[in-house]
Amino acid sequence: LSSMAIADINGDGRDEIAFGTGRAGLHVIAPTMEDDGLLFGHKLGDDVRGTEIIHMADGAALVVTGATSEFVSAFDGCAGGHGRDE
């Protein structure tokens, strides 16, 4: 675990947890779910060193990660973690 952010990502009124790992992974979980709680995960090209959740004007929540290689990725939390082009 290298970084973590907590906020309502998918708009259900409950907080989810987004966290990056030193093994190039991004995971978003809903800790209140009965199963493993994984909403989505992505294998990134480098170790994740920063994770933030940004709420856009249209209500979408972006999960933004920064890697040791200075590569930045953003995923749409409301769309199940698909990349977002803006």
Side-chain angles (χ1 to χ4, degrees):
L1 179 66
S2 62
S3 62
M4 180 173 44
I6 300 171
D8 182 10
I9 296 170
N10 60 6
D12 67 354
R14 296 181 293 188
D15 286 345
E16 288 78 38
I17 302 169
F19 61 94
T21 69
R23 295 184 177 205
L26 168 68
H27 306 279
V28 177
I29 61 171
T32 57
M33 296 178 70
E34 293 179 10
D35 56 8
D36 67 1
L38 183 66
L39 295 178
F40 65 88
H42 289 284
K43 191 73 170 164
L44 304 175
D46 203 351
D47 297 345
V48 176
R49 292 293 178 229
T51 303
E52 293 292 333
I53 298 168
I54 301 171
H55 290 279
M56 305 293 288
D58 64 1
L62 292 181
V63 179
V64 181
T65 64
T68 54
S69 62
E70 300 180 8
F71 186 73
V72 175
S73 300
F75 301 94
D76 189 338
C78 294
H82 296 285
R84 185 170 171 123
D85 296 324
E86 277 203 29

